[in-house]
Amino acid sequence: NAVRSPDMGTNFTIVWPKTTDYNQYNIRGDQNLGSRQKLFERFTLWHINSSANNFLQNNTGTHGWHSTDQAVVGDTITLKSNLVADVRASFLRFHNVTLPLSCCTFNEGSLGGNWGAYQTQMTFPELPQPTVTGLHNFGPIPTILDTDNAYVLSGNLTQILGRHTLTYGAEGRKIEWDYVQSNSSGGFLAFSGDQTGYGFADFMVGQSDKSSAQEPVLSKGVMWYYGAYMNDAFRWTPKLTINAGLRWEQPGSFTETHGSLTTLIPTLPQPAISNAVGRPVTGGLALINSPQYPHKTWQQLHWALFSPRVGINYSPTATMTFSSGFGISYLPPTVAFSLGPYNAPTNLSTTTQLNPSLSDPFPTGITPPPGRSQSYIDGLIGQGIQSPISNQTYPYQMQWNLGVQKQLGNSAMIQVAYVGARGNHLPLYSVNIDQLPDQYDVCGYDSTQPQCNGHLLNDQVSNPMFGVVPAKSGPALAGPTIRYGMLLKPNPAYQYMTEDAPSIGDSAYEALQVMAQKRFHSGSVLTLAYTLSHMVGTADVLSPWLENNRFGVGGSIGVQDNNHIKPDKATGYPGEQSISSFDTPHRLVTNFVYALPFGHGQRFGAGASGLVNGLIGNWEVNGISTFQSGFPIAFEDNNPNQLQNLYAQGNAGPGTGAGVTRPNYAPTNAGCNAHPAVGGKPSARLKSWFNTACYTVPGQWAFGNEPRVDPNLRSQGIDSTDFSVSKAFPIHDRYRIDFRMESFNLFNWTQFSAPNDQADTTIFGQVTSTANNPRLIQLSGRFSF
């Protein structure tokens, strides 16, 4: 890492060694309880511990560890010669801890000033996090304590009746999420130079621009899942088998032990606001199990989810098989990170102070998390609110395939398949359902349009909600005047209304898959696999702060226009619909295992023995080569414009952007030449990976027309080969020594990372890093006995 000075550049560099230990322990027992019953037990403990990254030796780093505990007991009983029962009980625990090195008993009083008064007000007392403009700053270090438990009881019966193999089963799960997270429990302070003109000088005189502290409460979520299924494998003829099944599920929804969950109700009446603005206004939060929302679960339960599955296998000859299948699967209810109980606004409080002193950044104290509090919910008018909507359509995926497998002679085979998948009602991370209607966007710069009533969006007008919206929410909505655009929003009483995990996304995937394999008499194998695919949709990932770090993919980290998730056919506006950021049209993988024909009994040196055979025999080489199209590029602007910041942006939650604007694609621009693609070797395109003249930054009151993911431009693809050589040394019949040398990225090929995708930066379109590792060679040995 490095500390930077605006005048001297990088003047301090340190490389910190970081080690990670993995440990796994397994215990298993098997018993035969008579001739018809078998019992087994297994326990597994897996643990990973990463050393602290304490770069500056002053406890500004972090430390983390994870563990998984698994325990299962299974009982298989043969009830009849054609009837077998299988019952299992299992437990799974995942434990995740991420802690700043100064957490969680740091003596705040050691900082002087009034810091000692905050000791008991902080959930996790730890060092505060200053951010000084002009210097290198460490990013927020989260404090995370997470324990997830799953208790599962399942059973099934397998019955053979003639040509039918019938299977019946059911299971129940209890899922527990105990989770707490804060990114600034010890306080965050910004020093940007507002006081002295220089950020570091502000820090030295102890005058901050803004302080904030985020204090969470441990949430304890509980969910119950139930499912049952039946399946029939019917061998119609010796050449034709049909599998047909049906599964029923009630996937469940979280309750919270402390009753602190909230739900977003778009139709919740707001009579006081409606009277003030002179039109019906609805929308707000309600506590679960309250008069406004008389349900105990976060979302309403779904009791009619049925998923059929069917598969057909047909073998016209002994060397050829046709197969096809179709099935529907419902997504697990825990797949959406934003649906965790820890995201409920009642489980987190944020205290902010403008222009505080460093010695007393929170003069009125740090606000504790409210928990289950109706008065807190009522007091959120004038602020931003977020929660899921209770009556979402449940997300599901359809999958299908059609393939043929053909054996060629005694040692080769080829397989060709068409596969497809479609995701329906997929969750997005979040959207702002209180965005300014798009018809008013023009009012940002043209007040003469009839819908603008002679006002620009940022004109200050008399505030009809003055005295109705609590003054503590700030002057933006509670003052005597208000921006005219705020009164045009669906609910002008809130800064935003963020809906968590709305089920409005979709995806579609199709692929042609070809695989061929050849086996040789020596035991060598050559395999080739090729995939031609295409993927589109409005949804890619639910945790873009993670996926976006992998080759720059993951799509934009926020929705641009919440009012148009789907494309607008009338105007041609793409909305969030685009090719997927994981779309890879071509992927070819070849691998081989080749036993060298030297040594005793081989083609060369067949009569070798003793030392000679020990030197030339039992050599084997392996190789894997991967060739893949590059991932497409997702554009965005580094600085959202006024339309996004003031009237479209919501709170997307921890770790992800709250809204983005994208550039305009303008093929008629001077210098664009009608297409942004640029030819040439990757190494020659690093300063201009594509023609940036084809893109412009939209004005302050418009959304860009660029799709969520660009359909024409891609980062560099994969062209990589891994290779290994191994040698076995048999010692009599009981002992063996294996030596192996492995080389990853054998030819030391460089894969460049995606170019900068932010159209309003000076490095737009430039490649500044690599995506892969250089050649790595490792040696290993193993002794078997």
Side-chain angles (χ1 to χ4, degrees), residues 549-552 631 715-718 749-754 767-774:
N549 294 328
R550 181 63 174 165
F551 302 128
F631 290 116
S715 58
Q716 188 178 6
I718 299 175
W749 173 81
T750 300
Q751 180 187 0
F752 295 103
S753 296
V767 176
T768 58
S769 63
T770 57
N772 67 337
N773 293 319

Side-chain angles (χ1 to χ4, degrees), residues 41-316:
E41 311 85 21
R42 179 178 59 82
F43 175 76
T44 299
L45 172 63
W46 174 84
H47 181 266
I48 174 175
N49 182 26
S50 300
S51 64
N53 53 338
N54 189 12
F55 290 100
L56 301 181
Q57 293 286 282
N58 62 355
N59 286 340
T60 57
T62 185
H63 187 200
W65 58 93
H66 321 283
S67 65
T68 298
D69 303 330
Q70 301 177 50
V72 60
V73 177
D75 192 2
T76 301
I77 307 172
T78 302
L79 301 174
K80 296 181 180 180
S81 61
N82 66 337
L83 183 63
V84 178
D86 186 79
V87 180
R88 288 195 177 195
S90 63
F91 168 74
L92 172 64
R93 168 171 289 172
F94 173 71
H95 192 53
N96 173 32
V97 176
T98 301
L99 293 178
L101 296 183
S102 62
C103 185
C104 295
T105 57
F106 178 74
N107 180 11
E108 302 293 335
S110 64
L111 300 175
N114 196 41
W115 280 90
Y118 311 141
Q119 185 78 32
T120 59
Q121 300 173 13
M122 294 179 177
T123 307
F124 303 109
E126 58 192 46
L127 273 172
Q129 301 177 27
T131 296
V132 183
T133 300
L135 298 182
H136 175 89
N137 296 283
F138 292 92
I141 299 176
T143 301
I144 300 175
L145 300 177
D146 175 25
T147 301
D148 302 338
N149 298 321
Y151 308 84
V152 182
L153 180 63
S154 63
N156 63 69
L157 288 171
T158 302
Q159 184 177 23
I160 299 176
L161 296 176
R163 290 179 293 170
H164 295 268
T165 300
L166 303 173
T167 308
Y168 322 88
E171 68 175 311
R173 305 176 198 165
K174 181 184 180 183
I175 299 172
E176 298 175 339
W177 278 11
D178 294 352
Y179 190 95
V180 62
Q181 175 175 345
S182 173
N183 292 336
S184 58
S185 178
F188 169 85
L189 297 102
F191 302 89
S192 64
D194 285 356
Q195 309 300 320
T196 65
Y198 187 47
F200 186 67
D202 282 6
F203 176 71
M204 293 300 292
V205 300
Q207 191 62 45
S208 174
D209 310 320
K210 180 181 179 181
S211 65
S212 65
Q214 188 183 70
E215 306 304 327
V217 65
L218 177 65
S219 62
K220 300 180 73 65
V222 179
M223 177 189 301
W224 291 88
Y225 168 95
Y226 305 101
Y229 74 94
M230 61 179 298
N231 189 83
D232 181 10
F234 176 40
R235 190 171 178 84
W236 194 340
T237 71
K239 295 183 178 182
L240 177 62
T241 300
I242 300 176
N243 284 273
L246 182 68
R247 184 178 182 88
W248 167 84
E249 296 175 272
Q250 192 290 103
S253 179
F254 275 115
T255 61
E256 210 276 331
T257 302
H258 306 114
S260 60
L261 300 180
T262 60
T263 185
L264 184 61
I265 304 179
T267 58
L268 189 69
Q270 295 276 8
I273 304 301
S274 298
N275 293 334
V277 300
R279 63 179 174 86
V281 175
T282 61
L285 292 181
L287 290 167
I288 63 170
N289 201 22
S290 68
Q292 294 86 0
Y293 182 71
H295 303 280
K296 294 183 179 181
T297 55
W298 204 352
Q299 294 189 299
Q300 295 181 19
L301 300 180
H302 296 265
W303 292 92
L305 301 182
F306 295 93
S307 48
R309 292 95 187 268
V310 62
I312 300 175
N313 275 48
Y314 176 60
S315 300

Side-chain angles (χ1 to χ4, degrees), residues 463-470 478-479:
N463 184 4
M465 299 182 295
F466 180 58
V468 178
V469 173

Side-chain angles (χ1 to χ4, degrees), residues 69 71 112 176 224 356 416 431 480 563 608 616 638 647 767:
D69 303 330
E176 298 175 339
W224 291 88
V416 180
V431 296
N563 295 332
I616 68 172
N638 184 50
Y647 300 108
V767 176

Side-chain angles (χ1 to χ4, degrees), residues 717-761:
I718 299 175
D719 179 1
S720 180
T721 297
D722 301 331
F723 183 78
S724 70
V725 178
S726 62
K727 174 73 170 74
F729 296 91
I731 305 175
H732 301 295
D733 296 329
R734 298 179 54 191
Y735 306 102
R736 175 188 174 106
I737 297 176
D738 290 281
F739 169 79
R740 178 180 293 270
M741 181 190 71
E742 298 172 312
S743 175
F744 301 94
N745 192 8
L746 174 66
F747 302 111
N748 204 27
W749 173 81
T750 300
Q751 180 187 0
F752 295 103
S753 296
N756 181 277
D757 57 12
Q758 297 173 330
D760 56 347
T761 63

Side-chain angles (χ1 to χ4, degrees), residues 185-532:
S185 178
F188 169 85
L189 297 102
F191 302 89
S192 64
D194 285 356
Q195 309 300 320
T196 65
Y198 187 47
F200 186 67
D202 282 6
F203 176 71
M204 293 300 292
V205 300
Q207 191 62 45
S208 174
D209 310 320
K210 180 181 179 181
S211 65
S212 65
Q214 188 183 70
E215 306 304 327
V217 65
L218 177 65
S219 62
K220 300 180 73 65
V222 179
M223 177 189 301
W224 291 88
Y225 168 95
Y226 305 101
Y229 74 94
M230 61 179 298
N231 189 83
D232 181 10
F234 176 40
R235 190 171 178 84
W236 194 340
T237 71
K239 295 183 178 182
L240 177 62
T241 300
I242 300 176
N243 284 273
L246 182 68
R247 184 178 182 88
W248 167 84
E249 296 175 272
Q250 192 290 103
S253 179
F254 275 115
T255 61
E256 210 276 331
T257 302
H258 306 114
S260 60
L261 300 180
T262 60
T263 185
L264 184 61
I265 304 179
T267 58
L268 189 69
Q270 295 276 8
I273 304 301
S274 298
N275 293 334
V277 300
R279 63 179 174 86
V281 175
T282 61
L285 292 181
L287 290 167
I288 63 170
N289 201 22
S290 68
Q292 294 86 0
Y293 182 71
H295 303 280
K296 294 183 179 181
T297 55
W298 204 352
Q299 294 189 299
Q300 295 181 19
L301 300 180
H302 296 265
W303 292 92
L305 301 182
F306 295 93
S307 48
R309 292 95 187 268
V310 62
I312 300 175
N313 275 48
Y314 176 60
S315 300
T317 69
T319 60
M320 178 178 288
T321 299
F322 293 92
S323 60
S324 65
F326 173 82
I328 292 178
S329 300
Y330 290 95
L331 270 64
T334 55
V335 73
F337 183 83
S338 54
L339 283 182
Y342 39 82
N343 276 333
T346 49
N347 287 331
L348 187 72
S349 70
T350 301
T351 305
T352 60
Q353 179 72 41
L354 297 177
N355 301 316
S357 66
L358 180 58
S359 61
D360 189 15
F362 306 103
T364 59
I366 297 176
T367 305
R372 183 178 175 88
S373 170
Q374 186 62 48
S375 61
Y376 173 78
I377 296 295
D378 297 337
L380 289 178
I381 292 180
Q383 304 177 44
I385 58 174
Q386 76 176 86
S387 271
I389 289 178
S390 65
N391 56 346
Q392 289 283 340
T393 303
Y394 203 82
Y396 67 94
Q397 186 179 58
M398 299 185 297
Q399 296 177 299
W400 58 90
N401 66 77
L402 175 63
V404 58
Q405 302 86 39
K406 173 65 175 174
Q407 182 176 331
L408 305 174
N410 295 323
S411 60
M413 62 85 65
I414 186 169
Q415 175 178 301
V416 180
Y418 161 72
V419 300
R422 180 170 181 82
N424 299 275
H425 309 294
L426 299 179
L428 303 182
Y429 191 92
S430 66
V431 296
N432 177 14
I433 63 174
D434 195 33
Q435 178 183 310
L436 180 76
D438 291 346
Q439 68 199 63
Y440 298 116
D441 294 351
V442 67
C443 302
Y445 57 89
D446 186 359
S447 61
T448 65
Q449 298 296 320
Q451 66 267 39
C452 303
N453 295 318
H455 291 292
L456 296 175
L457 291 179
N458 279 355
D459 283 351
Q460 290 290 323
V461 299
S462 177
N463 184 4
M465 299 182 295
F466 180 58
V468 178
V469 173
K472 68 177 182 178
S473 64
L477 296 182
T481 62
I482 191 173
R483 290 194 305 271
Y484 176 68
M486 298 300 294
L487 297 176
L488 302 177
K489 294 173 55 181
N491 193 320
Y494 291 102
Q495 299 281 0
Y496 55 81
M497 295 176 64
T498 294
E499 178 187 353
D500 289 331
S503 298
I504 56 178
D506 63 76
S507 66
Y509 173 81
E510 291 183 291
L512 173 67
Q513 300 174 346
V514 181
M515 193 270 281
Q517 188 177 83
K518 172 68 175 176
R519 295 183 176 274
F520 301 90
H521 295 296
S522 62
S524 303
V525 180
L526 174 64
T527 305
L528 295 92
Y530 171 72
T531 300
L532 173 67

